[in-house]
Amino acid sequence: MEALRPLDTLNSARDKKVILELKNGKQIIGKLKAFDVHINTVLEDAEEHSDGQMVRKLGTLFIRGDTIILISPSE
Amino acid sequence: MEALRPLDTLNSARDKKVILELKNGKQIIGKLKAFDVHINTVLEDAEEHSDGQMVRKLGTLFIRGDTIILISPSE
Amino acid sequence: MEALRPLDTLNSARDKKVILELKNGKQIIGKLKAFDVHINTVLEDAEEHSDGQMVRKLGTLFIRGDTIILISPSE
Amino acid sequence: MEALRPLDTLNSARDKKVILELKNGKQIIGKLKAFDVHINTVLEDAEEHSDGQMVRKLGTLFIRGDTIILISPSE
Amino acid sequence: MEALRPLDTLNSARDKKVILELKNGKQIIGKLKAFDVHINTVLEDAEEHSDGQMVRKLGTLFIRGDTIILISPSE
Amino acid sequence: MEALRPLDTLNSARDKKVILELKNGKQIIGKLKAFDVHINTVLEDAEEHSDGQMVRKLGTLFIRGDTIILISPSE
Amino acid sequence: MEALRPLDTLNSARDKKVILELKNGKQIIGKLKAFDVHINTVLEDAEEHSDGQMVRKLGTLFIRGDTIILISPSE
């Protein structure tokens, strides 16, 4: 059996809701539409959240990979 | 069907208005004219915005990719 | 005898509980499911801890390698 | 028709006046003489500006690309 | 005679006690078990020290190379 | 006619006095003896200057390229 | 005649006393034993200095290149 690779986890999260935490402390929630090996990421219906509250609707977003700390599929 | 790649999203936004957020906290709005794999980006008719207000007209801009946090096509 | 390589240590920790310390000062504990040469890492049942207390349940997490300081298999 | 690439914009600005903004907050104005793929840049007759005022004449300058945020051809 | 290379020094320190200083200001002491060209490093029986006092036992540690300032074999 | 490349400018400055500004805010003046594609640089008879005054004689210096903001040939 | 390259200067300083300045503001003095293209460096009989005074004896040191600002052969 092949060992799981980190991008497999992102691949399984395609078209699902994910939570991103960025190096500038912001939290973005949206539907994961695309990513690449640099972890450049595209979200749809993205929203910025703070303390469990939505603070801004952002729509479609291209996020540069090197600004991302973590990506959590929200089950 | 091929999976969508992050640069496809930027490609669809060519010649359209986009919002860029930079690592220095600035927000730039302009028409996306060009980008490359480093996310080096060229905007036309660019303006710096703050709290929904334009603060500076910047015209044509080459922006180095590593200073960009996100690019949002403004529908 | 071959010299041990750093990724061998991560490989032995697959499916086991590990403690990650991130550059933003956060501590994440979870089961190591995947990693790559950039140290991009996937944890399962991840929790954020502070001073020995759990502060947040995070579930499955993709963590970008360049935000990681250290990974400690918790025996 | 070929899509425009970011360096094409810099190429069109050769021998023209450009405004550079650096990561350390400084603004440099000068004639663009050379650049490369790292965005290492050479300006001639460069001046440091602050709030629309010249603060220092700098003459010919080699600027390391990774310190540059943006380059604006000043029409 | 071949000139000494930096990794030769790390190689001679394998299985010996070393002191690491990290970019976040922490000092880690442990037995050097593995390292690679990125200076990703594995320590065994690692301890965090501060002002000559042990503050935490850390056991086995994978440390990402780009967080390391220096490694000192402790003779 | 070939377009000028940034390193051509540094090449013309070999054996001449240059002013370097570093990311840590220091200004170094010296004779440019060598550089490479990373902009690693060697100066001879280098001096640290502050507000137009010499603060330290530094002699021969190897300076790592990624710490350099700009290099100005002082005509 | 071949142009001098930056690493030639380091090569001439092998087995001689050098002063290193690090990005964390520390100054290390020691005998240069080894270096590579990343400027990873090994010093012997290294000492940390502050304001012309020795503050710590460090013995043999492997220093990661990306933490180094400059290396000065002390004639």
Side-chain angles (χ1 to χ4, degrees), chain F residues 13 18 34 37 39 44 55 70 75:
Chain F
V18 296
V37 293
I39 321 305
E44 217 175 67
V55 290
L70 59 82
E75 343 279 286

Side-chain angles (χ1 to χ4, degrees), chain C residues 21 23 38 65 69-71, chain E residues 34 40 56 60 62 64 66:
Chain C
E21 296 199 2
K23 288 185 184 160
H38 308 291
I69 295 177
L70 59 83
I71 301 177
Chain E
N40 293 324
R56 252 195 326 162
T60 296
F62 171 94
R64 205 174 186 267
D66 75 324

Side-chain angles (χ1 to χ4, degrees), chain F residues 54-70:
Chain F
M54 190 201 50
V55 290
R56 256 199 319 168
K57 280 187 175 296
L58 294 159
T60 296
L61 277 192
F62 171 95
I63 301 173
R64 204 173 186 268
D66 75 325
T67 68
I68 293 173
I69 294 176
L70 59 82

Side-chain angles (χ1 to χ4, degrees), chain G residues 1-15:
Chain G
M1 202 188 82
E2 281 284 301
L4 183 79
R5 292 160 307 172
L7 297 195
D8 295 338
T9 296
L10 293 186
N11 215 28
S12 310
R14 262 183 206 271
D15 289 312

Side-chain angles (χ1 to χ4, degrees), chain D residues 9-66:
Chain D
T9 297
L10 294 186
N11 215 29
S12 309
R14 263 183 206 271
D15 290 313
K16 298 190 185 140
K17 205 168 118 179
V18 295
I19 304 173
L20 265 81
E21 296 197 2
L22 304 187
K23 289 185 183 160
N24 66 2
K26 295 200 173 161
Q27 192 185 56
I28 313 281
I29 299 179
K31 198 196 287 181
L32 181 65
K33 296 305 291 180
F35 63 89
D36 62 23
V37 293
H38 308 291
I39 322 303
N40 294 323
T41 297
V42 171
L43 299 184
E44 217 175 67
D45 298 325
E47 301 175 348
E48 185 181 329
H49 279 239
S50 179
D51 303 316
Q53 303 288 322
M54 191 201 49
V55 291
R56 253 197 323 166
K57 280 186 176 295
L58 293 159
T60 297
L61 278 192
F62 171 95
I63 302 174
R64 204 173 186 268
D66 75 324

Side-chain angles (χ1 to χ4, degrees), chain A residues 8-58:
Chain A
D8 295 337
T9 296
L10 294 185
N11 215 30
S12 309
R14 263 183 204 271
D15 290 313
K16 297 193 183 136
K17 206 167 118 178
V18 295
I19 304 173
L20 265 81
E21 296 199 0
L22 304 187
K23 289 186 183 160
N24 66 0
K26 295 200 173 160
Q27 191 185 56
I28 314 281
I29 299 180
K31 200 198 285 184
L32 181 64
K33 296 305 290 179
F35 62 88
D36 62 22
V37 294
H38 308 292
I39 322 301
N40 293 324
T41 297
V42 172
L43 298 184
E44 218 174 67
D45 300 325
E47 302 175 346
E48 185 181 329
H49 279 240
S50 180
D51 302 317
Q53 302 289 322
M54 191 201 49
V55 291
R56 255 198 321 167
K57 280 186 176 298
L58 295 158

